[in-house]
Amino acid sequence: MSVTSRYREAWEGFWREAPDEEGAVFWDAEPALTVARHLALFEPHLTDPGLALVDLGCGNGTQTRFLADRFPHVLGADLSPAALDHARRADPAGQATYRQLDAAEKAEAQALHAELGDANVYVRGVLHQCEADDRQALADGIATIVGERGRAFLVEPSEAAGAVLRSFAAGPGGPPPKLAPVLRHGIAPGEVADAAVPEFLTAAGLTVLATGTLPLTTTEYGPDGTRIELPSLWFVTGRAT
Ligand SMILES: C[S@@+](CC[C@H](N)C(=O)[O-])C[C@H]1O[C@@H](n2cnc3c(N)ncnc32)[C@H](O)[C@@H]1O
């Protein structure tokens, strides 16, 4: 196993306690403000929209279901079985399929690629809090799953997001209610240096085809009543053609 048991348990504990209600989880904003914006940036780069689409680190599947409305074969994959339980409950018609996967584990990424062939991959908020030793392995896993023809879209809170979150957490009333469980379970956000992300992708044999910044909308509000948005970076990547 590549991820530490502490990390796996942190996610499992978080998802076991997370409520099912829409918008109850800190980053679980409505798709119109998240994946819909990402797709507009991603779709022009797809060489084959008919490939399977993997939502890697799908969590409770809010973005997965949006993708499954638009693509023929969508798979939500996550490290945490409890996250997948949420995702399956929220998708009773089974629009997408779901499976447990540690994307930083080479053999698991290879097995998925052997099964699906080259796939397109959507990754929102997975790399920035994973264990430092797993970040390159996760980028390598993405490269394995996309293969030659797939493309990946990654969106990750930027370095500056860590400071934004710490400032909310240190407020007079403590962290806002939806941020508190994230911190309590030891899920450390915004830990990756901005410059490191394209380096991981390049080292994995991928080329950055497009990149930019976007606000990452959360479901939580600051003391002034405005919605908390985290600065984030996005990347479209794949093998150079
Ligand atoms: C911050 S949540 C984001 C969930 C979802 N992408 C979204 O935007 O709502 C990160 C998710 O990545 C999953 N994850 C972390 N490391 C992973 C790994 N190595 N392989 C697969 N999933 C992983 C966690 O279990 C968690 O559900």
Side-chain angles (χ1 to χ4, degrees):
M1 292 294 169
S2 57
V3 300
T4 64
S5 54
R6 186 208 65 79
Y7 176 71
R8 185 186 299 267
E9 271 315 302
W11 275 115
E12 191 58 9
F14 174 83
W15 284 118
R16 241 187 258 127
E17 283 178 19
D20 265 338
E21 292 87 71
E22 227 177 274
V25 168
F26 182 67
W27 52 80
D28 192 25
E30 52 273 42
L33 300 178
T34 57
V35 63
R37 291 179 179 170
H38 305 149
L39 262 189
L41 299 162
F42 190 26
E43 277 188 303
H45 294 279
L46 295 178
T47 56
D48 185 351
L51 298 180
L53 176 57
V54 180
D55 183 1
L56 196 61
C58 66
N60 59 3
T62 301
Q63 325 298 332
T64 323
R65 294 188 294 282
F66 180 92
L67 293 167
D69 274 339
R70 286 157 186 82
F71 290 88
H73 179 189
V74 173
L75 173 72
D78 203 284
L79 180 64
S80 157
L84 295 165
D85 288 343
H86 282 281
R88 289 193 182 99
R89 272 199 299 279
D91 181 11
Q95 279 181 287
T97 51
Y98 302 92
R99 81 152 68 173
Q100 206 260 335
L101 177 86
D102 174 1
E105 181 63 39
K106 192 174 178 178
E108 294 191 29
Q110 284 172 335
L112 185 64
H113 183 258
E115 190 180 316
L116 299 179
D118 293 354
N120 295 317
V121 182
Y122 177 70
V123 189
R124 175 175 184 254
V126 181
L127 188 72
H128 74 106
Q129 30 63 7
C130 77
E131 299 278 333
D133 286 350
D134 281 332
R135 290 178 194 144
Q136 186 60 54
L138 188 68
D140 293 346
I142 293 168
T144 299
I145 298 166
V146 300
E148 293 301 319
R149 290 188 307 134
R151 295 284 181 263
F153 184 93
L154 284 86
V155 58
E156 295 289 336
S158 58
E159 241 173 282
V164 174
L165 286 167
R166 281 190 289 277
S167 75
F168 280 112
K178 294 179 194 173
L179 181 57
V182 181
L183 302 175
R184 193 174 63 245
H185 284 283
I187 295 160
E191 296 281 316
V192 182
D194 292 347
V197 182
E199 286 171 10
F200 290 134
L201 297 173
T202 307
L206 297 168
T207 300
V208 174
L209 304 167
T211 182
T213 59
L214 269 181
L216 191 147
T217 311
T218 74
T219 57
E220 189 56 282
Y221 294 79
D224 65 355
T226 60
R227 199 151 167 173
I228 299 177
E229 289 185 338
L230 302 178
S232 77
L233 299 173
W234 60 267
F235 302 86
V236 176
T237 186
R239 307 254 175 224
T241 44

